[in-house]
């Protein structure tokens, strides 16, 4: 009989692979503060770089925190700016005041902020950028017939192009784009109806606008897309004016993700989805008998989970919104100290590696015991082999 020196390692591997050893506790997150009081996060890229806005007094500036370094992105010559999206190359988009007091979409790249212009009107804003540099957002045109409604745009190669609207609509919006070039947002449809002009979640592809089958009540929009074409956003509810439910749209099917707290107002919204299908957003929760607030949530396929149950409560921070998630499961969020809205800051939630449950450690001990037993047996085997 020929024995193998790999046998102890195989025993250990088998022990770790036994049923129950893969069971892990719920994920926990560490909180990293990214900005000062008055800051809020908007998006995150694969490297964990986070963008957003920071407000001091009456002035708001776009920022990026990359590699632990905070950078104020400035403006286009005016007072205020806001960063909405960042890609894996560190290109950032948003909106900023220019010297003429107009608010224009910008692309920040190579240390400088560039004005992307408009579709002929006075205002524009960019919301997302993919890894190929395609920027999407909304911009006003110069047509008085639109009544000032913005038009969804795509910007590439130095040119801003209107993405169109649903039939008979005046306005449209583009909020998300994936690396395949699929764009998500919303569009009005048909003529104005009292009391409001409704809009519906849409995708833009192949030069056309596609309604995804929004419910009949209220409004809906897509705010996040992953590279598999799954979309998330908000669909209307009938129980509270202007409220929505977070949803995921995948392969032609809409799934209502519900809310964190059915006792609060019936309101939630999904902002982003990663390539694992994990969704983040915000949902109303009960604060006391007379008040409600909002908590950030994570959805992984089995109901909304309050992110505040996944962080150390002793830190004192309350996660009020979760705006972006990358494939490493890092989350761009906004947190308020002690739940007091006066001290709210942009944060990043970093997943703490899961620790095996006690049962898994027991199986590991079994595996090590088997290895020890093999070592005790091996001296008796070796002499017999030498005698052969």
């Amino acid at each position: 009989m020929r024995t193998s020196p790999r046998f102890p390692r195989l025993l250990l591997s088998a022990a770790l692979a036994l049923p129950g050893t893969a069971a892990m506790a719920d994920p926990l997150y560490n909180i990293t503060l990214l900005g000062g009081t008055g800051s809020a996060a908007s998006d995150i890229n694969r490297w964990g770089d986070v963008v957003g806005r920071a407000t001091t007094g009456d002035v708001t500036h776009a920022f990026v925190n990359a590699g632990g370094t905070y950078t104020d992105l400035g403006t286009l010559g005016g007072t205020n700016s806001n960063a909405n999206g960042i890609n894996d190359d560190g290109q950032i988009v948003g909106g900023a005041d220019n010297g003429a007091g107009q608010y224009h979409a910008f692309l920040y790249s190579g240390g400088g902020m560039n004005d992307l212009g408009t579709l002929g009107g006075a205002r524009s804003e960019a919301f997302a950028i993919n890894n190929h540099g395609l920027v999407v957002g909304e911009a006003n045109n110069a047509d008085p017939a639109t009544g000032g409604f913005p038009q969804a745009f795509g910007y590439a190669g130095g040119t801003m192009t209107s993405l169109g609207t649903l039939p008979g609509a005046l306005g449209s919006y583009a909020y998300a784009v994936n690396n395949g070039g699929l764009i998500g947002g919303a569009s009005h449809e048909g003529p104005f109806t009292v009391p409001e002009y409704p809009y519906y979640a849409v995708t833009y592809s192949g030069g056309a606008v596609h309604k995804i089958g929004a419910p009949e009540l209220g409004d809906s929009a897509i705010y996040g897309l992953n590279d598999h074409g799954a979309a998330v956003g908000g669909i209307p509810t009938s129980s509270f004016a202007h409220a929505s439910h977070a949803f995921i749209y995948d392969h032609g099917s809409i799934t209502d993700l519900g809310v964190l707290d059915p006792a609060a107002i019936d309101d939630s919204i999904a902002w982003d989805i990663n390539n694992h299908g994990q969704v983040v957003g915000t949902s109303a929760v009960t604060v006391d008998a007379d008040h409600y607030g909002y908590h950030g949530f994570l959805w992984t396929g089995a109901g909304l989970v309050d992110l505040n149950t996944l962080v150390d409560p002793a830190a004192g921070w309350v996660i009020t919104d979760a705006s972006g998630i990358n494939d490493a499961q890092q989350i761009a969020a906004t947190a308020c100290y002690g739940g007091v809205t006066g001290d709210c800051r942009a944060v990043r939630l970093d997943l703490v590696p899961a620790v095996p449950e006690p049962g898994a450690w027991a199986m590991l001990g079994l595996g090590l015991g088997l290895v020890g037993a093999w070592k005790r047996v091996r001296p008796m085997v070796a002499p017999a082999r030498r005698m052969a």
Side-chain angles (χ1 to χ4, degrees):
M1 177 180 176
R2 185 169 183 263
T3 59
S4 167
R6 295 178 62 242
F7 186 56
R9 281 178 286 178
L10 291 175
L11 283 174
L12 180 59
S13 298
L16 290 173
L18 288 173
T21 62
M24 301 292 177
D26 287 339
L28 299 176
Y29 288 87
N30 287 325
I31 299 176
T32 300
L33 301 181
L34 303 178
T37 298
S39 61
S42 298
D43 195 22
I44 188 170
N45 66 9
R46 67 173 295 185
W47 311 113
D49 303 332
V50 174
V51 295
R53 64 186 182 276
T55 301
T56 303
D58 295 329
V59 175
T60 298
H61 276 195
F63 78 85
V64 60
N65 192 305
T69 300
Y70 178 95
T71 302
D72 184 328
L73 302 185
T75 71
L76 291 170
T79 304
N80 299 300
S81 62
N82 182 44
N84 295 318
I86 182 171
N87 67 11
D88 293 343
D89 293 325
Q91 295 177 302
I92 301 164
V93 296
D97 293 329
N98 62 20
Q102 297 177 330
Y103 195 73
H104 280 194
F106 73 76
L107 169 63
Y108 184 94
S109 182
M113 183 180 287
N114 302 299
D115 190 333
L116 301 187
T118 71
L119 290 171
R123 189 186 187 284
S124 62
E125 185 170 8
F127 293 106
I129 179 172
N130 70 10
N131 288 339
H132 305 294
L134 174 59
V135 180
V136 300
E138 63 183 45
N140 290 103
N141 60 29
D143 184 358
T146 64
F149 285 100
Q151 312 292 305
F153 75 76
Y155 181 96
T159 301
M160 181 180 289
T161 304
S162 174
L163 299 177
T165 68
L166 290 171
L170 296 178
S172 57
Y173 315 82
Y175 298 123
V177 59
N178 69 12
N179 288 318
L182 179 66
I183 299 169
S187 174
H188 298 289
E189 184 177 36
F192 174 81
T193 56
V194 177
E196 295 177 346
Y197 194 24
Y199 57 89
Y200 301 92
V202 298
T203 58
Y204 305 87
S205 63
V209 187
H210 311 278
K211 184 177 176 181
I212 69 166
E216 297 164 351
L217 296 171
D219 304 317
S220 60
I222 290 172
Y223 296 112
L225 286 165
N226 68 15
D227 290 335
H228 305 302
V232 296
I235 55 175
T237 66
S238 58
S239 60
F240 185 75
H242 300 290
S244 66
H245 273 194
F247 78 89
I248 181 170
Y249 173 78
D250 193 15
H251 294 92
S253 176
I254 293 179
T255 301
D256 184 335
L257 303 186
V259 295
L260 281 175
D261 181 4
I265 63 169
D266 199 26
D267 195 24
S268 65
I269 195 162
W271 295 121
D272 198 18
I273 180 171
N274 66 13
N275 288 327
H276 303 305
Q278 298 167 314
V279 180
V280 293
T282 187
S283 177
V285 294
T286 301
V287 175
D288 56 42
D290 300 315
H291 301 88
Y292 66 89
Y294 284 84
H295 282 186
F297 71 73
L298 172 67
W299 182 87
T300 60
L304 303 188
V305 177
D306 192 328
L307 282 169
N308 292 286
T309 66
L310 304 180
V311 298
D312 183 0
W317 292 96
V318 176
I319 310 301
T320 59
D321 190 21
S323 52
I325 183 169
N326 62 17
D327 288 347
Q329 301 182 55
Q330 293 174 298
I331 298 172
T334 301
C336 298
Y337 189 74
V340 178
T341 57
D343 186 9
C344 297
R345 307 185 184 195
V347 301
R348 188 183 65 226
L349 306 184
D350 297 310
L351 189 63
V352 177
V355 177
E357 293 181 346
W361 289 113
M363 298 311 299
L364 176 59
L366 173 61
L368 293 174
L370 291 172
V371 172
W374 167 250
K375 288 183 177 179
R376 288 192 296 272
V377 171
R378 189 172 181 179
M380 293 185 292
V381 174
R385 187 171 57 186
R386 284 197 297 268
M387 291 172 59

